[in-house]
Amino acid sequence: MNDLLNVSFDFQAMLVAGYFGYKISSMGLARVHRTEDFLLQVLAFAVVSKIISALSVVLLTEIPGLIEIEWVSPFITMFAGVLVGAFWRKYGETRFSKLMENRDISRDDHEASVWMSIAHSKSRFTFVQVMMRNGTTLESDFDLIPQSPPFPPLKINEDGISIYVTKIWPSDDQAEQVFEPVIDKELGIMRLRYIPRSEIEQIEWCLRKR
């Protein structure tokens, strides 16, 4: 660590930019990278950020009246790291995966699991049914959920799922379905239900392209 503190500020900024890019591109994806992969990804984002910074400085020096612009370079590098990471997260990785799939090279979307692939889908969820291991089915129709709820209508993670239940289908096929109001009119609150993954047998979704 002391060795990193003794290098030039420009090089430190380059490393920080690389880390920013890596962190933003992988945030919330539950991926575990080996040390070598982590370092190479940080280095890749750092190099791209430095190239953008160097080109920016060249362009800025062409503007009349601007002198001694080189001191801004480290800050441009760090800012570029944020932009590169965000761009790769939003556009780059998805399109690169599609390119690999279209060329029959790889069908891996680089997510940790199919569950996480669904969680990070760019589609808009409109309807979900959760089949429980006890035979009960919990349904959430997003059209019945008021606008701007205090918590998103759907959250998926490795440990389970949370939804606003709008209908309950009992385990007994002969029993009538139960409509459950999302808003408790007496208390004026919304009911959000957390369902652990261990209690889920199957999930069905309705998706709509954004």
Side-chain angles (χ1 to χ4, degrees), residues 141-207:
D141 186 345
F142 293 178
D143 290 336
L144 300 179
I145 300 174
Q147 295 291 327
S148 302
F151 198 79
L154 175 66
K155 276 290 184 180
I156 312 172
N157 215 317
E158 287 290 349
D159 63 327
I161 182 174
S162 67
I163 58 173
Y164 294 99
V165 177
T166 58
K167 188 185 296 184
I168 300 176
W169 302 79
S171 55
D172 184 358
D173 293 338
Q174 303 302 320
E176 295 184 359
Q177 58 197 27
V178 179
F179 291 89
E180 181 163 309
V182 176
I183 300 179
D184 189 317
K185 294 183 179 180
E186 294 183 2
L187 300 177
I189 58 176
M190 298 183 68
R191 290 194 180 97
L192 179 71
R193 184 167 302 193
Y194 165 71
I195 309 166
R197 187 174 183 176
S198 59
E199 298 181 9
I200 300 173
E201 180 69 29
Q202 181 177 323
I203 301 178
E204 291 188 3
W205 324 81
C206 285
L207 307 177

Side-chain angles (χ1 to χ4, degrees), residues 3 11 18 23 35 44 72 90 95-96 102 105 115 118 134 139-140 146 153 155 165-166 169-170 177 184 197-198 210:
D3 293 336
F11 186 74
K23 193 67 176 177
T35 303
V72 185
K90 188 171 180 62
R95 296 185 179 182
F96 182 74
N102 293 336
I105 299 174
W115 181 263
I118 296 173
N134 62 9
E139 180 178 304
S140 180
K155 276 290 184 180
V165 177
T166 58
W169 302 79
Q177 58 197 27
D184 189 317
R197 187 174 183 176
S198 59
R210 291 185 185 274

Side-chain angles (χ1 to χ4, degrees), residues 57-75:
V57 170
V58 171
L59 294 175
L60 289 173
T61 53
E62 297 297 323
I63 300 177
L66 286 180
I67 56 175
E68 299 294 336
I69 198 64
E70 287 77 8
W71 68 271
V72 185
S73 176
F75 301 98

Side-chain angles (χ1 to χ4, degrees), residues 36-185:
E36 296 85 352
D37 292 334
F38 164 73
L39 293 175
L40 286 173
Q41 289 188 56
V42 169
L43 181 61
F45 282 114
V47 171
V48 174
S49 301
K50 182 60 180 178
I51 292 173
I52 293 175
S53 174
L55 293 175
S56 299
V57 170
V58 171
L59 294 175
L60 289 173
T61 53
E62 297 297 323
I63 300 177
L66 286 180
I67 56 175
E68 299 294 336
I69 198 64
E70 287 77 8
W71 68 271
V72 185
S73 176
F75 301 98
I76 297 177
T77 302
M78 289 186 284
F79 183 64
V82 174
L83 295 181
V84 172
F87 179 84
W88 179 255
R89 173 68 177 268
K90 188 171 180 62
Y91 302 106
E93 187 170 30
T94 301
R95 296 185 179 182
F96 182 74
S97 295
K98 288 183 178 179
L99 176 64
M100 298 281 282
E101 182 175 344
N102 293 336
R103 296 294 182 269
D104 293 325
I105 299 174
S106 172
R107 300 190 184 280
D108 182 9
D109 62 1
H110 307 292
E111 296 290 357
S113 64
V114 176
W115 181 263
M116 296 306 294
S117 296
I118 296 173
H120 299 127
S121 171
K122 298 295 191 297
S123 302
R124 186 166 66 90
F125 295 92
T126 60
F127 179 89
V128 60
Q129 280 189 336
V130 182
M131 290 74 166
M132 311 291 289
R133 294 189 184 276
N134 62 9
T136 304
T137 298
L138 304 178
E139 180 178 304
S140 180
D141 186 345
F142 293 178
D143 290 336
L144 300 179
I145 300 174
Q147 295 291 327
S148 302
F151 198 79
L154 175 66
K155 276 290 184 180
I156 312 172
N157 215 317
E158 287 290 349
D159 63 327
I161 182 174
S162 67
I163 58 173
Y164 294 99
V165 177
T166 58
K167 188 185 296 184
I168 300 176
W169 302 79
S171 55
D172 184 358
D173 293 338
Q174 303 302 320
E176 295 184 359
Q177 58 197 27
V178 179
F179 291 89
E180 181 163 309
V182 176
I183 300 179
D184 189 317
K185 294 183 179 180

